[in-house]
Amino acid sequence: MPAETVSVTGWGRTAPSTARLVRPRTYEEAVAAVRDCGVRGGIPRGLGRAYGDAAQNAGGTVWDMTGLDRIHVVDVAGGTVLCDAGVSLHRLMEVLLPLGWFVPVTPGTRYVTVGGAIGADIHGKNHHVSGSFARHVLSFELLTADGAVRTAARGTPLFEATAGGMGLTGVILTATVRLQPVETSLMAVDTERATDLDDLMARLTAGDHRHRYSVAWIDLLARGAATGRAVLTRGDHAPLDALPARARSAPLAFRPSRLPAAPAALPGGLLNRATVGLFNALWYRRAPRARTGELQPLSAFFHPLDGVPHWNRVYGRSGFVQYQFVVGYGHEDALRRIVDRISAHRCPSFLAVLKRFGEADPGWLSFPRPGWTLALDVPAALPGLGAFLDELDEEVAAAGGRVYLAKDSRLRPDLLTAMYPRLADFRALRAELDPRGVLTSDLSRRLNL
């Protein structure tokens, strides 16, 4: 297999590290790559949408798994798919939507591989109904550090350590996933404005049970009585009879739009408090006070940023930090304090969303738990950002919450045990599976996973 030395970074484009990149195209090549990874070990990588350093390995090997991209079996009657781990959610949508099926969980981008979806145990706008991605995985084949291929079934320690395990238990080769039936490729969407954070939480609590998907864009630069004002969007898969006559001839068509890519070199500081504040105010005011039943394409509802290739470049060469945490129900005061602090700190975030999580998922390092989750993007060059986020970490941990490892790039390791109670079990199983530390990453070294 050819290999090249490259600089690797996460989607946030911070803290790049140099690694040997290998792209296996067969299962046999994947086994050989694991056995020949070198003294610094290796880590699997999909489409590079983890925001931080989870798929980086300074001085070691990174296995690009996108060469394993076959869809083996689609059970149209039973609603399952067996595919390679390198298949993207985008490709699954292209194949499955014409057959009346949709992926059970999708994050804010469809350019995520199935292996990455399991390794990060991704969640979407439907966690309060459907849980995270691994809840819909029936089994997967895992290539472990000794070169063996093991089948991991739901409910087994190997499955639960790998779901959310950030690629550190092995390399996923194939997976069988249960799908979501749909009649159309459109969404019926309700939109409303919330005047502040308390109004938003009340609306989410009162109405989320009526919709499969729910998310709120929140203005974190608003202050005073408007702190936490938001635009709340909820949706469901539109039934066939909701479509206008002209759309019923191709109800399952999937044609995502694409705009020109963001330029490779943009000036730093483009997204600052003034520009983001103006954007946020305009976005809030242009949103309808209340609108129901608007038909939107799947791509517009789930993945609006995918229409702009390389949108992460808008933050300039310094990149950005995505910070996502969850605090449990009953800790709303902690959420209010954190939102107040972000607003007072004037963090220029135009991509900030609040959602409600449902039941916890079985993965030992799976991020979701019942409660409120807030995610925000912040320019990495913002003065004092590191110390400020450290303070928020303390607040989150004190409230029994946690941060999302798939988006993390700077968490202190001493907080990890409090945030993830099954961490000791994960470390023990990892030591048993991989006593030589073959599976390793910049993230695992930083957090002593």
Side-chain angles (χ1 to χ4, degrees):
M1 278 174 294
E4 57 180 322
T5 300
V6 297
S7 178
V8 182
T9 185
W11 191 245
R13 304 176 76 202
T14 60
S17 60
T18 300
R20 174 174 167 264
L21 186 71
V22 176
R23 192 169 190 251
R25 295 182 179 275
T26 67
Y27 305 144
E28 292 77 14
E29 287 187 354
V31 171
V34 168
R35 288 176 170 167
D36 184 35
C37 62
V39 295
R40 291 282 287 180
I43 192 70
R45 181 181 176 91
L47 288 167
R49 292 304 178 103
Y51 284 79
D53 53 2
Q56 299 174 212
N57 183 21
T61 302
V62 171
W63 303 303
D64 178 345
M65 300 305 297
T66 58
L68 293 174
D69 60 356
R70 291 170 296 177
I71 297 176
H72 297 280
V73 179
V74 178
D75 182 348
V76 177
T80 61
V81 61
L82 168 62
C83 64
D84 285 347
V87 173
S88 70
L89 300 192
H90 173 82
R91 179 59 182 153
L92 285 182
M93 292 175 198
E94 289 182 321
V95 171
L96 297 173
L97 273 168
L99 303 175
W101 296 99
F102 188 60
V103 295
V105 171
T106 177
T109 176
R110 60 186 178 274
Y111 296 110
V112 174
T113 63
V114 169
I118 297 169
D121 201 12
I122 60 170
H123 57 273
K125 300 175 182 179
N126 59 339
H127 191 276
H128 63 290
V129 172
S130 302
S132 61
F133 192 87
R135 189 180 299 185
H136 306 271
V137 176
L138 303 180
S139 64
F140 53 80
E141 288 184 309
L142 188 72
L143 169 60
T144 49
D146 57 0
V149 177
R150 309 167 191 239
T151 298
R154 292 179 56 82
T156 63
L158 186 58
F159 187 104
E160 294 176 359
T162 303
M166 307 310 298
L168 295 170
T169 59
V171 181
I172 299 171
L173 298 177
T174 69
T176 302
V177 184
R178 186 174 58 242
L179 305 170
Q180 168 69 35
V182 295
E183 294 182 17
T184 75
S185 59
L186 294 175
M187 301 295 296
V189 181
D190 296 348
T191 305
E192 58 190 287
R193 282 193 289 187
T195 57
D196 58 30
L197 182 60
D198 284 337
D199 182 32
L200 173 60
M201 289 194 290
R203 290 171 186 262
L204 285 165
T205 301
D208 267 7
H209 66 282
R210 294 193 291 268
H211 300 272
R212 178 172 292 275
Y213 304 97
S214 175
V215 66
W217 169 89
I218 183 169
D219 183 0
L220 292 176
L221 282 174
R223 291 187 286 184
T227 299
R229 67 182 179 182
V231 179
L232 173 57
T233 308
R234 297 189 179 104
D236 294 281
H237 294 283
L240 185 61
D241 60 13
L243 270 59
R246 65 181 182 278
R248 294 185 188 179
S249 61
L252 292 165
F254 181 57
R255 304 184 188 96
S257 60
R258 285 174 69 87
L259 297 171
L266 284 169
L270 187 64
L271 297 180
N272 53 51
R273 289 164 179 149
T275 58
V276 174
L278 178 61
F279 171 87
N280 286 3
L282 292 173
W283 189 262
Y284 179 78
R285 292 191 179 107
R286 72 179 292 272
R289 294 184 183 275
R291 180 174 62 198
T292 60
E294 180 191 16
L295 293 179
Q296 295 182 7
L298 286 167
S299 56
F301 180 76
F302 289 109
H303 316 118
L305 288 175
D306 281 348
V308 184
H310 305 292
W311 64 262
N312 57 339
R313 294 173 179 170
V314 301
Y315 289 90
R317 295 188 183 279
S318 297
F320 69 100
V321 172
Q322 169 129 146
Y323 184 70
Q324 183 170 7
F325 67 89
V326 58
V327 292
Y329 297 123
H331 291 276
E332 286 76 12
D333 284 346
L335 177 62
R336 292 186 187 96
R337 286 194 301 271
I338 291 171
V339 170
D340 284 341
R341 294 182 68 172
I342 294 171
S343 175
H345 197 75
R346 311 297 291 149
C347 288
S349 176
F350 76 100
L351 293 175
V353 296
L354 183 73
K355 294 180 288 195
R356 295 173 73 248
F357 279 159
E359 294 181 7
D361 298 289
W364 292 350
L365 296 186
S366 183
F367 168 67
R369 52 159 294 179
W372 304 93
T373 181
L374 177 64
L376 59 144
D377 291 352
V378 186
L382 186 70
L385 179 62
F388 177 68
L389 293 181
D390 284 347
E391 294 172 2
L392 296 192
D393 290 340
E394 297 279 359
E395 185 102 38
V396 169
R402 59 182 63 143
V403 300
Y404 190 16
L405 297 182
K407 296 184 176 180
D408 175 59
S409 58
R410 25 76 40 211
L411 179 69
R412 296 200 323 263
D414 57 290
L415 292 176
L416 201 62
T417 302
M419 291 182 172
Y420 288 90
R422 300 297 301 272
L423 179 62
D425 295 325
F426 176 82
R427 285 171 170 160
L429 183 62
R430 186 178 172 219
E432 178 184 336
L433 288 171
D434 186 10
R436 297 185 296 114
V438 172
L439 279 298
T440 189
S441 66
D442 291 355
L443 173 79
S444 71
R445 282 189 288 266
R446 176 169 57 84
L447 294 178
N448 190 28
L449 287 172

